[in-house]
Amino acid sequence: MRMLKTAAAGAVVLALAATATACGGSSGTAGDKPAGGDVYSGTYKVATNVKVDSTVLKKAQKAKKIVIGVKADQPFLGFKDPATGKYSGFDIEIAKMVAADLGFSEKQIEFKTIDSNVRETTISKGDVDYYVGTYTINDERKKQVGFAGPYYTAGADLLVRKDDKAITGPETLKGKKVCSIAGSTPLQEIKKPKYGAQTTELSKYSDCVKYLLDGQVDAVTTDDAILKGYAAQRPEKLRVVEKPFTKEPYGVGMNKDDKALRDAITKALENHIKNNDYKKAYEGTLGKSGSKYVAPETPLPTY
Ligand code: GLU
């Protein structure tokens, strides 16, 4: 019953994960294909003459490109096709809608893959102009970054092997090995002593899924929206328990001090929720992995 808690132990696990990735792993490549047929890609009307008093935006306008942090291994949400290098998914569509209202076409977007554990530092340093990647809005993070949203609300859930009947909810995790990723809210939750789980911390969810398929862990925990994408890739092997045990409101993350950018992004989200772009994108992406559509409430709050 050893908890992989210390930095040294965590480093070992990360190194093992890197080896597994490099060698291909025995169970193949979790997160290697989008699953569910065609990849949805919407086009959004690009606003002209955008005048927003935002430092971040002015820099992007000068460079004639906008840099957006996203995920690359979450099917239906933020997924990079290894063959084409093209990103797809619901978060990618949200990123594109916002970019259009800020005056940037799809061609002017540079997507950067940023893992959960480095989101706050990457945003604060200005390495991305904004971030769209299953990013839960919470008070702790609000101390470091600004948020617009929520544009979707997920909940932490469990992904298990299909033949596992023992895990039926978070209360059945005593002594079980549970994988999640560093810097994520579901990991913080599952580490609470009340669950009695042994945690393995990696930096990518797709590596947790490999561990689950290989039998090195008993469950993976993160948002249901993410887990449903993995289950849809391998319905014969994996299932989601479907007992969400937290609330994860997703926001677009950005520089904490750039209020003008925050307001502009909030407005952009509201516009695309109202004109139905949001719903179409949802149905073409996340909706395909079985996450139910819930219209976000507008007007969105200001933080
Ligand atoms: N929404 C959760 C979070 O922001 C989990 C998903 C993720 O790591 O991106 O921590």
Side-chain angles (χ1 to χ4, degrees), residues 190-242:
I190 216 67
K191 279 168 109 173
K192 289 182 181 164
K194 66 172 178 182
Y195 297 111
Q198 285 175 257
T199 52
T200 298
E201 301 176 25
L202 304 181
S203 65
K204 288 195 188 295
Y205 288 114
S206 45
D207 287 331
C208 278
V209 177
K210 281 182 199 142
Y211 272 41
L212 178 64
L213 289 164
D214 288 348
Q216 294 179 68
V217 297
D218 304 304
V220 178
T221 187
T222 187
D223 304 340
D224 45 8
I226 302 173
L227 297 178
K228 281 179 187 174
Y230 293 124
Q233 279 186 318
R234 286 176 173 70
E236 71 295 348
K237 291 203 168 134
L238 300 171
R239 71 179 172 90
V240 179
V241 167
E242 302 216 27

Side-chain angles (χ1 to χ4, degrees), residues 52 148 254 258-268 302-303:
V52 178
M254 73 211 77
D258 201 329
K259 189 179 172 319
L261 181 65
R262 200 153 76 225
D263 292 346
I265 294 183
T266 301
K267 204 171 234 122
T302 44
Y303 301 103

Side-chain angles (χ1 to χ4, degrees), residues 177-189:
K177 294 189 189 117
V178 183
C179 189
S180 195
I181 63 157
S184 74
T185 44
L187 175 69
Q188 259 174 20
E189 175 66 23

